Amino acid sequence: MQTPTPNPEAERRIRNLTQHLNPLPRQLLSATNHHLAIEPCAAKTKLNVDTSSLSSYMSGKHKDIQEKVINYFNANPHLQTPIEISKDDHRELCMKQLVGLVKDAGFRPLNYVLHDPSTYFAILEAVGSYDMSLSVKMGVQYSLWGGSVLNLGTQKHKDKYFDGINNLDYPGCFAMTELHHGSNVQGLQTVATFDPITDEFIIDTPNDGAIKWWIGNAALHGKFATVFARLKLPNYDTKGVSDMGVHAFIVPIRDMETHQPLPGIEIQDCGHKVGLNGVDNGALRFRSVRIPRDNLLNRFGDVSRDGKYTSTLPSENKRFAATLGELVGGRVGLAYSSVSVLKVAATIAIRYSLLRQQFGPLNQPEVRILDYQSQQHKLMPMLASTYAFHFATTNLLDKYSEMKKTHNEELVADVHALSAGLKAYVTSYTAKSLSICREACGGHGYAAVNRFGSLRNDHDIFQTFEGDNTVLLQQVAGDLLKQYHGKFKGGTLAVTWSYLRESMNSYLSQPNPVTARWEGEDHLRNPKFQLDAFRYRTSRLLHSVALRFRKHAKSLGTFGAWNRCLNHLLTLAESHIESVILAKFIEAVQSCPDPSSQAALKLVCDLYALDRIWKDIGTYRNVDYVAPNKAKAIHKLSEYLSFQVRNIAGELVDAFDLPEHVTQAPIAMQSEAYSKYTQYVGFQ
């Protein structure tokens, strides 16, 4: 009988089928390292990561001043926030912490706000590692109250208020939000009417909806407030008034000696909140409160003694845009701070997952839970995103610092758009990730001592203040549409959007049927392929939503068409921000001087890119940008990269170089196993 000729393809398929039917032999634990065995194709040598070099590349120039903050709190344990504390005690402690930093440790944050914003945000990051309430309270005092005086006022205001704000003699508030209006600042109802007889403005709250609400520092500690109100000037010819739009005014709210509310000022406490209860949020009502004319913050518009209005800007909309543009630092700080929170949560969850063992093959040691593919799927793309966000927000911080020095108009527009998008995208991602990290740590993640609850509650509002995330993404989408229309009118593209010039041309042509089928690892890990894919998706979304918007505007009008296309527009904005994030990550990888660190960052960057492409694979498949075989290859490679990142996950979180107190959640302290946890609940 003739022996049949072997069929390699048939034998390969039989082997694969056998593996599906009998998976256990392929997944036995290694007796030495307790890791789940993996397929031979994934058994490459683990990267050797020089943690100190990677950490040095990540930390930048602010390590010394952050250590000064940390050393101050370590030397003053009575100022460290305990896990269990009442609202009232938390507020008083938070004020003592701020006073200690300024009066005892000698920090002068407003100097940095004015001259070195990146150092200021580094201080906020270190402060927030002890208590996010403290970083927010400091932000209210210096970024918002102090920043509004610096950025919206003129030299006379700086001369009068700078030192008092800086040394905390003038604690203040930022009174923009009202009960009925938050995101829609142009709809604010508080009124400031000029009285030419007394040379004063009269601040009034015309109805309950105009009560200033959620005002930080107002309930207890603030003595001044920057109040945003509609400026109304008398018309001598018609005996009416002219509404000049929203302006900012300095309004004293408490007596400097007695600390009692001043006449006409009513202050109420907004009460216990979901988080950040060290911040004393209050509500303010004004009843014919008179302030001097000089208290108008008059950088963009002024009122003369005889009631005449002057401005270098030609319209109310221009003045309003300039005013809000000067307050963009808050968004920059929130994006940067949100990444810090994500680093803490990811570090605790990953260290716990490297420590915790659960289940395993019969008669074998239990398996570390990070060796389970499901745990890797939760945490490794998140770790990659954390690195991506770090480089994107650091770049934003550098741009913001340069903008404050040069006042370059193109850079101002770039920072405004980028800060809106990154603040919205990063804070939303971090909020979701905090819940994932808590769940990844099982029941132990629910213990307050392990930090996820406080991190989640304190961070949650980041999605709302300094601009609601959905509103901010709409701003990004609106800017994209303006750039799109400008391109077809022959205009130039602003810095952040310049990539659209090439990718839009690529989109308007058909996908290459050859490259759509390339599935080799070298191709998929090529940064050009990854960035082209991200940008192609953005261009496709931009082109399609522009056509939809134009079509619906004919029958529904501009507002109706915008609402009809809103989800499409939000997806477009997120896609654009992801393209920017990846571009900055790739630049950071290529600029890294240490080969060991560069190899680790390249691995993490590839995981970030391919995981994002896979999560939106339907978009690429719908237009044949990626063929079916290539889609499978992307999925397989992203899972492989996730395992490789898992192999160096401990080194990657160590490279964040977080202060010891930040990650001292008992479940994450591998060296002491569970001893700290059991001691915390009372066992000896």
Side-chain angles (χ1 to χ4, degrees), residues 575-600:
S575 176
H576 166 66
I577 294 302
E578 287 173 356
S579 297
V580 172
I581 291 169
L582 178 60
K584 296 308 170 187
F585 200 173
I586 290 171
E587 287 178 14
V589 173
Q590 294 171 344
S591 301
C592 184
D594 175 62
S596 162
S597 301
Q598 187 179 57

Side-chain angles (χ1 to χ4, degrees), residues 47 115 248 263 648:
L47 286 174
H115 300 295
I648 58 171

